[in-house]
Amino acid sequence: MAVKLAAYDPQTIETKWYAFWEENGYFAARRDPSKKPHVIVMPPPNVTGRLHMGHALQDTVQDALTRLRRMQGYEALWMPGKDHAGIATQNVVERALKAAEGKSRHDLGREAFVEKCWEWVGEYGNIILDQKRRLGDSCDWGRERFTFDDAYVKAVQHVFVKLYDAGLIYRGEYLINWCPVDMTALSDEEVDNVERDGFLWYIRYPLEDGSGHLTIATTRPETMLGDAAIAVHPEDERYAHLIGKNAILPLLNRPIPIIADEYVKREFGAGALKVTPAHDKNDFEIGQKHGLECIGIMNLDATINAMGGPYAGLDRFVARERIVADLEALGLLDKTEPHKLTVPISSRSKAVIEPLISRQWFVRMKPLADPAVEAVRSGKVTFYPKRWENEYYRWLENIRDWCISRQLWWGHRIPVWYYPDAQGAIDESRPFLVSVEQPEPGMLQDEDVLDTWFSSWLWPFATLGWPQEKESIKQDLAYFYPGQVLVSGYDILFFWIARMIMAGQYFMGDIPYRDIFITGMIKDKQGRWMSKSLGNGIDPLEMIEQYGADAVRFSLTVLCAQGQDIKLDPTKFEMGRNFANKIWNAFNVFGQFMDEGVAYRRTRRFEDLELVERWMLTRLNQTIVEVNEDIDRYRLNDAITKIYTLFWGDFCDWYLELIKPAPGQAVAAETIALAVEIYEKLLQLLHPFMPFITEDLWWRLRTREAGDACISSAWPVSNPAEIDPSAVEALGLMQALISGIRNVKNEYNVSPGKEIEAILNLPAGANGLQQTMEANKRYFERLAKVKDLKVGVGQAKPKASASVVVGANEVYIPLAGMIDLSIERDRLNKEIAQKEQYVQAVLKKLGNESFVARAPAEVVQGERDKASQAEDELGRLRANLADLG
RNA sequence: GGGUCCUUAGCUCAGUUGGUUAGAGCGCUACGUUGACAUCGUAGAGGUCGGUGGUUCGAAUCCACUAGGACCCACCA
C-alpha cells in the first residue's frame, strides 16, 4: 500500500493465486443443509485431449457461473474428471507403440496392451486437467473422477445388467456400421454422411433362359458379388414378364431370382435394383421380406472374402475397379454416369464405413427416449438458447436402437459370461449369463467393450458414487443431484446431453440438470473449424502466456453471444489484456495515496457524498441489478459488457478523473474510503470472469483476515437507498456540456491543456441546478480546463463567443482573438442541419394522425417532449448563429 | 428431400417483450507524454440493418417470398 503498483504482469499473479485457492480448499464443496447446492458437471475431457479453445470457452462459462453462485452463497460444486475415450486412446497408444517398439497391439496381446494404455494414461492423462488449472477453473479436484475408476466401472456394468434384465439391452445379428480401419462396430451417431462425387454404373445381368438381359444401376459394383436377387417394381410393365425368372449374376455366374418390390423407384437408373442384403440397409430389409440369402462377401478389413471368387483378397476399392473393367471387357457395362452420392464416413478414422451383418449388443431406445422428450416438453429441463429443443426432439422422436458393443480392447468389458467349450473358446450353443461378477469359475467374459458414451451418460450421478450403498454417498446424491446447468457445445447434443437425460431419469428417477446452456463453437478467422490438418488452431495456453488467463477469459465471455459460433482471431485477446491493464492501473489513482494499516471505511452518509460519488454509487447499484438478470438468463456477454462499461466508462473516465487530486496534493482519506469501497465491489463483480487479477488487487485494498478472499466474498447487493436519479441527471448534463466544450476547443485547435473562460447560462427557474453546478464547477475546471466557470440564469452571451447547447442549457466560450467566425458558423450550421433533420422526423411522426390516435399515450408524449426540446435547442443554435452577425 | 442458423459501420460482432437520434471492440482522422494506464486520453468520420413485398400508428426486430453463406438430419440404388 501507499506505493504505486509495478506494471501488470499476469504470469506471476496467476500461479500465486491458483495455488492459494487450491491449497486453502476454496474449490471444495460439501453438503451443507443451510445452503442451496449449485452443481455443474464438467464434460469430462478425453485423456488424450489437449486444451483447445472450445474447452477454454466452455470452462470460462462454467467457472464464471460456479464462482458467481459460490459468492452468492450457494454450495457450488463443479465436478471435474476425465473420460477414458475408447477408440481415441487405443489409437494413440497403438501409434506410440508402433513408433517406440515397432509393434502392433496384437504383438502384445490384449492384457499387455491394456497395461500399456494404463501406463500412457498415467503419464499423459492429466495434462489437460493441469491445463484447465491454468485457466483458473475452480472445480473441486478432490472429487475428480475417471470413467475407468473401479467404482465407475462397476456402475457401468451395473447399468448394463439392469437394462438387460429390464429387456432394454439385447444381442442380435443386424446390419451395423463397420469401420474397417478401427475394426469395430460404430453407432449411427459416430457415422457422418458426406456427399461425394461418384458414378452410377449400368450393368447387364443376362437372363437364365437366354432371352436377353436386365440392366441394373449401382454405385457400388463390388457388392454385386453378394447379390441375392434383382428387384423391379411390381407395376412396371417393362419388367412384369420377368418376375419369377432367374438372371445370371455376371462374373460369378450364379443364378439369382428376379423379384417384385414396391421399394424400387421405376424412374431411377434403369428401374431395376440389385439386392445385396449383407451390405446395404435397404437391401437387408428387402431380403428379410423375401427370404433372401445374406451373402457376406467382405472380410472385416474390407477386403473381399472367398465368396468373391476371383476377387477374393482384393481391397474393396481395388475390386471395384477390377470388376468394372471386367464387365466392360465382357460387354456387360451399358454406361457410366457421374453421380453424387452420400458416403458414410467414420467420424473418428474418416474411413468409409461398410454396412455389415454382425452380432452386436444394442440398447432399445424408444422406452428411454420418451421420458427424455417429456422432460423438456414439460419444462423440467430448459435449453438456452431455446431453439436447440427442436433439434433434441427431432432426434429423440426418430431414435433408433443404439449399438453399444465395440471390438476394441480399451474400454469397459461387457458383463456377459459364456461357458467354455472343450477348446476353451466360447461355447455359443450354451446360454450366456449377464452379471457384474463372474457367475461361475471358468466362465469367459464377452470379448467386446462398451461404447465410451455408454459410460459417460452416467456422469452426473456415477461421479457422486452411485450406485454404492454407503450412507455418505446416498446423502451426496440427495444433496447434489440433480445439477443446475450443463454447459456444452451442440456437437455432443445426441452423443451425450440427450443420453444423460435418459439415464438420469431411468436410474435416478430425475433429470440430471435443469438448464442446458449450449455455447457456440469456436471457428477460425474465416469461419472454418479449427483442426490439426488445417493447422488453423489457436492454442489457449499460448494465448494465456501471451495475454494472461484473465484476458483470455474476458474476451471469450464477451464473444460468447447466445449460441452463435465464434470466429476467433488472436488479436481479440488484446481487448481482454487492455482491460486487465486498465483494472490494474486504476488502483494507483487512489492506491498510491493509501496509508499502510489504515482501515478505509466510509463514514459519510450517502446524502453527504459528493455529486460524482453519489452518481457512481447509483450507477453501481443499477448495474448490479442488470447483471444479475443477465446471468440468470445465461447472457454472460451482456453481463460482462455492462461491468466493463461501468468500470471503464463510468468509474475510470469520470469518477476517478474527478477524485484525482490537484498536482502536489493528496487525496482526502474519506475520498479514498469510498473509492476503495466502490473498487472493491467492482472487483467482486469482475471476479467470476477475471479471477486472478481481482483476487490479487483485493488483498491490496485492506488488511484482511485469512480466509477473507475475493473468491469467497459475498456477491454485491444492490442498495436501493443509494440510487439517486437526480445525481445521474446532473452529472449527465455536465458530461454533455464538458464534451461540448472539449469539442469546441478541438475545433478551434485550442490545446486541451489551455485554460479557458466559460459562462454557463441556465434556464429560468433552475435554481437547484444552479446550486449544483456552482458547487461542482471544479468538474469543469478538472475535465475541460474551464477557469472559474460563471454560472447563472439569464447570462448574456459575450460577443464573438462559441456556444454549446444542451437542452435549455448553454455554455458560452469567449475566445477573444482566437475565434474565427467562419469556423463557428460552420460548426453551428452543421449542428443546426443535424438537429433540423431530427426535428423533422419527430414532427412527421406527430403529424401522423393515426400515430397520435393509436400509439400508447406515453409514447406520443415522449415524441412531443423530444420535439419541443429539439425545437428549443434549434432555436438557441439559430440565435447563436444570428448573433455572430 | 426435411430442418436450423447467419447476412447490421472498413473488419469482427451486440442489439432481450416492435417505439433508442441503431451500439461495442478493432481499424481510420485530428489533437494530446496535464503524476493510474500510449495495453492510454480527448474529439471526430463512418451504417437507407442482404433484397422484395406484407402486417402495424410505428419494423434491424414480426410474416411471406428471394439472393448469398454455414450447419444438422435423412435408406433413393
Side-chain angles (χ1 to χ4, degrees):
Chain A
M1 287 192 219
V3 190
K4 257 183 89 170
L5 293 180
Y8 171 55
D9 174 31
Q11 304 305 336
T12 53
I13 63 172
E14 287 172 12
T15 46
K16 173 179 169 189
W17 291 109
Y18 199 84
F20 169 83
W21 292 322
E22 201 173 356
E23 284 159 17
N24 289 283
Y26 285 106
F27 301 158
R30 48 193 85 74
R31 290 188 304 276
D32 179 348
S34 70
K35 290 168 149 193
K36 281 177 38 185
H38 182 277
V39 180
I40 298 180
V41 291
M42 175 190 288
N46 290 356
V47 283
T48 56
R50 295 292 180 273
L51 197 74
H52 57 61
M53 274 298 167
H55 296 122
L57 170 67
Q58 288 169 21
D59 282 22
T60 295
V61 169
Q62 292 171 87
D63 194 46
L65 292 170
T66 299
R67 285 177 184 268
L68 173 96
R69 297 304 178 201
R70 189 183 287 128
M71 290 172 81
Q72 286 181 329
Y74 290 83
E75 190 62 25
L77 168 60
W78 187 14
M79 170 72 74
K82 50 189 194 266
D83 194 308
H84 69 282
I87 301 182
T89 307
Q90 175 160 325
N91 283 345
V92 166
V93 175
E94 277 188 283
R95 273 201 295 276
L97 186 66
K98 194 89 198 163
E101 305 174 30
K103 290 183 186 162
S104 78
R105 70 176 209 262
H106 300 283
D107 295 332
L108 284 196
R110 182 164 191 155
E111 210 172 313
F113 179 76
V114 169
E115 193 52 44
K116 273 266 182 265
C117 291
W118 275 107
E119 278 171 27
W120 193 93
V121 168
E123 191 164 354
Y124 304 106
N126 284 323
I127 289 179
I128 187 159
L129 296 182
D130 288 337
Q131 291 177 322
K132 282 166 176 268
R133 288 176 165 88
R134 295 284 305 279
L135 245 193
D137 287 10
S138 67
C139 26
D140 186 351
W141 295 110
R143 293 177 182 270
E144 183 186 326
R145 296 288 183 271
F146 180 34
T147 53
F148 246 158
D149 290 340
D150 288 344
Y152 203 105
V153 170
K154 284 274 180 282
V156 171
Q157 296 186 327
H158 178 80
V159 159
F160 185 98
V161 173
K162 279 203 99 165
L163 289 175
Y164 179 80
D165 289 344
L168 292 176
I169 281 184
Y170 62 91
R171 188 171 76 148
E173 283 198 46
Y174 295 93
L175 203 68
I176 48 88
N177 306 299
W178 182 263
C179 174
V181 169
D182 288 328
M183 298 283 275
T184 180
L186 296 174
S187 68
D188 293 337
E189 286 67 39
E190 289 166 296
V191 177
D192 298 329
N193 294 307
V194 300
E195 191 171 85
R196 295 235 172 126
D197 287 318
F199 296 97
L200 197 54
W201 285 278
Y202 288 72
I203 301 168
R204 292 184 182 184
Y205 283 41
L207 297 170
E208 192 179 35
D209 59 13
S211 64
H213 64 264
L214 182 54
T215 299
I216 59 90
T218 180
T219 54
R220 299 171 61 209
E222 70 281 8
T223 62
M224 69 187 287
L225 302 170
D227 280 0
I230 290 177
V232 297
H233 196 276
E235 285 154 33
D236 193 336
E237 301 106 36
R238 294 174 295 176
Y239 304 124
H241 64 288
L242 297 175
I243 295 168
K245 291 188 171 179
N246 280 343
I248 297 294
L249 179 64
L251 307 175
L252 296 183
N253 297 319
R254 177 149 66 66
I256 52 173
I258 297 167
I259 60 172
D261 195 288
E262 298 194 332
Y263 170 80
V264 180
K265 305 275 184 298
R266 275 172 282 185
E267 63 287 354
F268 186 91
L273 170 73
K274 66 190 257 328
V275 184
T276 321
H279 294 282
D280 183 278
K281 213 172 241 178
N282 299 306
D283 291 11
F284 180 75
E285 280 164 26
I286 296 173
Q288 296 246 298
K289 216 161 110 188
H290 296 268
L292 299 174
E293 200 185 342
C294 277
I295 306 162
I297 57 148
M298 237 177 255
N299 297 310
L300 295 179
D301 62 356
T303 56
I304 304 298
N305 68 18
M307 295 304 293
Y311 304 96
L314 294 177
D315 176 80
R316 56 190 159 162
F317 297 123
V318 176
R320 176 181 296 178
E321 282 176 32
R322 200 72 69 78
I323 284 170
V324 169
D326 289 350
L327 288 169
E328 191 158 27
L330 291 168
L332 293 175
L333 187 65
D334 254 7
K335 59 176 172 174
T336 307
E337 284 177 354
H339 185 70
K340 278 216 190 309
L341 66 160
T342 52
V343 179
I345 300 292
S346 160
S347 59
R348 192 144 294 278
S349 72
K350 308 299 172 197
V352 175
I353 292 297
E354 282 300 331
L356 290 184
I357 291 173
S358 172
R359 184 154 69 185
Q360 303 286 345
W361 290 91
F362 298 86
V363 179
R364 216 179 290 286
M365 294 302 272
K366 186 90 169 62
L368 295 169
D370 289 345
V373 168
E374 186 49 29
V376 175
R377 275 209 205 287
S378 66
K380 279 170 80 182
V381 177
T382 311
F383 276 85
Y384 295 84
K386 199 100 180 142
R387 63 183 150 94
W388 289 105
E389 290 181 4
N390 294 328
E391 196 87 340
Y392 174 84
Y393 293 139
R394 188 177 49 68
W395 185 71
L396 286 171
E397 283 164 1
N398 298 298
I399 200 151
R400 283 163 303 181
D401 286 354
W402 177 15
C403 175
I404 51 170
S405 41
R406 297 288 177 275
Q407 288 63 52
L408 305 171
W409 288 353
W410 177 245
H412 297 87
R413 285 288 285 273
I414 294 182
V416 173
W417 305 85
Y418 305 88
Y419 289 100
D421 62 15
Q423 285 73 44
I426 287 171
D427 184 354
E428 284 289 355
S429 66
R430 300 179 65 187
F432 56 77
L433 298 174
V434 177
S435 162
V436 171
E437 306 295 338
Q438 189 182 36
E440 285 178 39
M443 286 192 83
L444 301 169
Q445 190 169 7
D446 198 300
E447 293 288 314
D448 288 351
V449 302
L450 291 160
D451 182 2
T452 295
W453 300 103
F454 191 85
S455 61
S456 31
W457 71 331
L458 316 176
W459 191 247
F461 47 92
T463 47
L464 290 167
W466 183 92
Q468 297 171 70
E469 291 290 332
K470 272 175 35 196
E471 196 51 35
S472 66
I473 286 174
K474 281 163 126 179
Q475 285 179 13
D476 258 15
L477 281 163
Y479 184 73
F480 288 118
Y481 188 93
Q484 182 59 44
V485 55
L486 182 85
V487 180
S488 172
Y490 52 79
D491 53 335
I492 51 175
L493 177 57
F494 310 141
F495 280 116
W496 193 50
I497 300 174
R499 286 175 181 157
M500 276 190 285
I501 295 177
M502 300 183 199
Q505 292 192 114
Y506 191 84
F507 293 104
M508 294 293 294
D510 199 358
I511 51 161
Y513 27 74
R514 297 177 184 89
D515 297 334
I516 300 172
F517 179 35
I518 302 285
T519 66
M521 307 298 293
I522 306 263
K523 306 284 187 64
D524 76 357
K525 203 176 170 179
Q526 295 154 57
R528 302 172 304 180
W529 291 90
M530 288 185 178
S531 69
K532 277 189 198 131
S533 53
L534 276 173
N536 59 348
I538 299 173
D539 181 355
L541 288 154
E542 278 176 27
M543 295 301 109
I544 288 172
E545 269 155 40
Q546 196 173 342
Y547 299 100
D550 287 322
V552 169
R553 294 170 56 121
F554 174 83
S555 291
L556 288 174
T557 309
V558 168
L559 296 171
C560 176
Q562 289 284 290
Q564 276 332 108
D565 288 348
I566 297 169
K567 281 194 240 171
L568 193 65
D569 164 358
T571 61
K572 298 269 189 201
F573 296 117
E574 287 174 13
M575 189 182 3
R577 180 202 56 188
N578 295 353
F579 185 41
N581 190 249
K582 189 79 179 176
I583 296 168
W584 185 261
N585 283 302
F587 172 84
N588 281 330
V589 177
F590 55 89
Q592 62 180 310
F593 299 106
M594 289 167 72
D595 287 320
E596 189 108 23
V598 176
Y600 289 93
R601 297 280 172 199
R602 171 164 40 140
T603 53
R604 292 170 294 163
R605 296 182 312 164
F606 180 72
E607 296 73 29
D608 300 332
L609 297 175
E610 249 203 81
L611 174 64
V612 72
E613 294 177 317
R614 276 179 285 127
W615 170 79
M616 189 64 225
L617 279 170
T618 302
R619 288 287 302 121
L620 174 69
N621 285 312
Q622 290 170 332
T623 306
I624 291 169
V625 173
E626 292 172 20
V627 164
N628 287 340
E629 285 172 5
D630 288 336
I631 292 172
D632 287 344
R633 289 180 301 161
Y634 299 103
R635 308 187 75 101
L636 301 197
N637 61 326
D638 287 343
I640 193 66
T641 304
K642 280 169 190 163
I643 299 169
Y644 172 89
T645 305
L646 179 71
F647 193 98
W648 199 316
D650 295 337
F651 184 72
C652 293
D653 290 348
W654 295 95
Y655 172 80
L656 286 184
E657 289 300 332
L658 286 173
I659 67 159
K660 265 186 198 172
Q665 303 268 301
V667 184
E670 58 187 34
T671 303
I672 292 178
L674 187 69
V676 167
E677 178 185 322
I678 294 171
Y679 187 74
E680 193 167 60
K681 289 195 170 150
L682 292 170
L683 291 181
Q684 290 178 301
L685 292 178
L686 286 163
H687 180 81
F689 309 97
M690 306 175 81
F692 295 106
I693 189 173
T694 49
E695 188 70 77
D696 190 90
L697 290 163
W698 173 263
W699 290 85
R700 298 173 186 271
L701 291 176
R702 304 183 190 282
T703 311
R704 298 190 188 271
E705 300 297 312
D708 182 19
C710 188
I711 186 177
S712 61
S713 65
W715 182 251
V717 173
S718 178
N719 180 358
E722 300 197 339
I723 289 179
D724 179 0
S726 74
V728 174
E729 196 183 344
L731 203 93
L733 174 60
M734 292 171 107
Q735 288 175 323
L737 292 169
I738 286 165
S739 291
I741 296 167
R742 285 164 170 173
N743 175 261
V744 167
K745 287 174 104 174
N746 212 290
E747 300 272 339
Y748 283 98
N749 277 322
V750 176
S751 120
K754 181 167 168 63
E755 283 203 326
I756 54 160
E757 314 239 328
I759 299 147
L760 172 56
N761 181 21
L762 299 168
N767 297 334
L769 198 55
Q770 184 177 354
Q771 267 187 340
T772 307
M773 294 294 154
E774 188 73 51
N776 295 293
K777 59 165 78 164
R778 71 167 194 88
Y779 292 1
F780 289 87
E781 159 75 37
R782 173 97 229 164
L783 298 177
K785 284 280 176 287
V786 173
K787 183 168 53 184
D788 193 27
L789 179 77
K790 284 183 194 52
V791 183
V793 171
Q795 294 280 323
K797 182 187 172 199
K799 283 281 169 219
S801 59
S803 56
V804 174
V805 174
V806 178
N809 314 283
E810 294 178 73
V811 168
Y812 309 127
I813 305 157
L815 291 167
M818 303 172 104
I819 188 154
D820 180 331
L821 292 185
S822 69
I823 294 181
E824 183 64 2
R825 255 185 232 111
D826 288 351
R827 212 177 63 81
L828 289 174
N829 272 321
K830 194 172 125 196
E831 213 172 322
I832 286 166
Q834 262 175 11
K835 197 68 76 181
E836 273 173 344
Q837 216 175 13
Y838 176 60
V839 168
Q840 235 166 27
V842 178
L843 286 181
K844 191 180 159 197
K845 223 180 214 179
L846 284 166
N848 183 340
E849 278 174 33
S850 43
F851 169 73
V852 178
R854 301 207 193 188
E858 72 260 27
V859 173
V860 177
Q861 191 52 49
E863 294 299 313
R864 288 204 173 112
D865 293 346
K866 278 190 210 163
S868 66
Q869 182 181 338
E871 280 178 320
D872 182 54
E873 285 178 332
L874 197 50
R876 288 167 201 284
L877 289 167
R878 284 185 176 132
N880 288 334
L881 181 64
D883 184 61
L884 291 174

